[in-house]
Amino acid sequence: MTRWGEPFRESGALATAAVVDQAQIAIVVIDRFSLLRYWNPFARELFGFVDGRDYAGLSLLDIGIHESDREHASQLARRVLRGEPWEGTFAVLRGDSTWIHVRAQAVPMRNESGEVDGITLIAREALRSGRVEEQYGLLERIGSRLSSSLEFDSTVRGVAGILVPQFADHCFIDLYDHDRLVRQVSMHAEGWTPPPRTWFDVGEEVRYPERHFVTQALRRLETVVSSEYLFETSPSSRSDQVSRQVGVTSAIAAPLRARGELLGVLTLALSGLSPRQKSTYGGFDRDLVGAIASRVALAIDNARLFEEERSTALAFQRSLLPSKLPSLDGLVIAHRYLPAGPLQAHGHGVQTQVGGDFYDAIPLSAGRVGLVIGDVEGRGPHAAAVMGQLRAALRAFALADREPADILRELDEWVRQLGQEDEDGGTWIPSVSCLYMVYDAWSRELSYANAGHAPPLLVTSDSVEKLDLEVTDRMLGVRAKGGAGEDVVYHQADLSLPTGATLVLYTDGLVDRRPVGGTPDPDRALGRLAERVSEVADKDVDEIAEAAVHSVPGELDDDTALMVVRTHYEALALREGWFRSEASTVGEARHLAANTFKEWGMDRDQAELACLLVSEIVTNVVIHATPHPVHREFTGAGVLDSETPSGFGGAADEFDEDWTDLLEAVAAEEADEPAESEDKEFLLRLRRGASAVWVEVFDNDLRLPRIRSAAADDEGGRGLYLVEQLASRWGSRPTPDGKAVWFEMPMHDDGVEEAEKDDEE
């Protein structure tokens, strides 16, 4: 034979191509771009090529190289194209979804000028021949597999997947749970599954007879090979029958010991499930499995320790976040938190990552809702601790009905007080991005302030795009980094959301994921996120949240917080009216409230209580209303009020409820000063939610009310006390032109409803 495809000169009877076609070894030719150009019939059988599919021109990786070995195969190609031969083993996922290990030799192909322009790959199935060098290669592969994972399930299943079917037809891993031996892995060749209630299944407690070879291995703490009397000590007759039917010929049991503790046992067996040259294990196999078991035991122990540490860290992390958000009128919310993957820290091994991403939904006054998403710079326990303190402070400020910009200003000061000394003797202060929004479901108005956080996605029936935020200020904590004298002012703005709009709020961990073998591309990731969300935009919020967290592939190098907020107008109603601050209007305001509560279907008793409280807070307004409007401005430096009206003392004075001035006296004063009373007005606003009503009264008085203790002979001073005792919640908040006093009252008496249900039963 002189050239490829020419016959032998001596006989001329057999062409080289025919020899290659009949060879029981795979031959594959790849060009310098790693694209397939030729394969013989045995290669098609070995790699499990799918009939009818044309593999010509496909990449080497497309013949089914297992994902765990793709980088290995790429290195093979690069090395051979440099002119060096290569020999090694890699895993192949076949077309029928089974996978095997392939032993391959690769040599460079050179053209007439001597340049490498391709690769010839000669391959066969590995490990079934019993060759010693292949068995040592098995030990190397298992060590590599164990070192690549700290997750318990993937560790034990990965080892079993390497051993079956190349070295064994059956693999069992049983581990102790206290004093019980429980099966963790049961894997068999050729996809075979033992009949029910024969061999122990995963999750079942395993009990071996006293004379069983596994019991001997555990008692002696040494690897035991058994090729005789296998069926005489079976755990049960059904187990013995299945063992005979499948043709078990030999088995090895190796105890799993790590750090002086017996963790369990690894058992391997040969049977008639797959063809192989050897049918029994020998002394070399016993030593090899013993070495494998020691590595597996250490990996299992490490995985358990790591998962325990990770579980503790994540429990700490999740305890700092809301586990369940409250039911909110006008909103449906889904939330997700994804911890970052393990971090390979230089000199400190693999470490669990906790982070500082956070979210929250806070019920505010009169049915409004505070929505927050944020991210503390860095990772680790300190970032998580900063996040916990920051979220607690934000919630406290929000429940006090502070304005968004005012809250961020306070949080900026708070963050700078949480700094730590660094190695250079300075103070490290974390940077924190935070978006805080207040949503009013009745008006669909959204007030917000933004400290350097990415805008959420706005999902409507027509599109998915970034929410247009008019203002975005610097992150919290950056003032100290910028040096003395630098000031940060936080602004706020308002916008209206379309009917039925959905917001997707997220932290940068979602779009900064690192593709396998690549670098993060946030812009591209954001496009994938928007595309995936648009596909499920008409689904419920939980489905949108699931689609969002899985929309961007890649490694989780940073934790991720996500909230999906959908607005709706169901079960909401609003009615309001302006009234002059006169004694005669108290009855008018109460009449409006009574008619409205009746129209809304409120329980009669609840409506009467609510009308009583309406009278109390409206009376306070009539008595104490400021005759001239006062303007209040919320700035980055705080709340600035215009000049205090004469006769009311300082604007910072608290509203002191004093009932000594009765309504009759007020009416008399109004008669003496008719011109002045024309300027005094208040707004009564009634809101209905799914199960509660809110009452708000707005006036131009800057002073916030407080409860005072009334003496036995005082004629007043008990109004706000009644409000506190009878309402579900009550409070007051400053407004740009004065204040608002509000209370919440359930529409139905739960106690009455429960009693009625009991009577019916």
Side-chain angles (χ1 to χ4, degrees), residues 25 72-73 75-77 79-81 83-90 102-108 119-127 129 131-135 137 140-141:
I25 192 167
H72 192 43
Q75 293 176 359
L76 174 158
R79 178 173 178 175
V80 178
L81 288 173
E84 305 174 19
W86 180 90
E87 182 174 358
T89 305
F90 53 86
V102 171
R103 186 71 178 178
Q105 292 176 306
V107 296
I119 300 171
T120 299
L121 188 72
I122 302 173
R124 55 185 168 78
E125 187 174 358
L127 302 175
S129 65
R131 293 176 59 189
V132 172
E133 62 272 18
E134 292 183 359
Q135 293 176 342
E140 179 184 357
R141 286 191 57 78

Side-chain angles (χ1 to χ4, degrees), residues 1-13:
M1 181 181 69
T2 57
R3 292 181 182 274
W4 183 272
E6 291 185 359
F8 289 100
R9 290 179 177 176
E10 291 80 0
S11 64

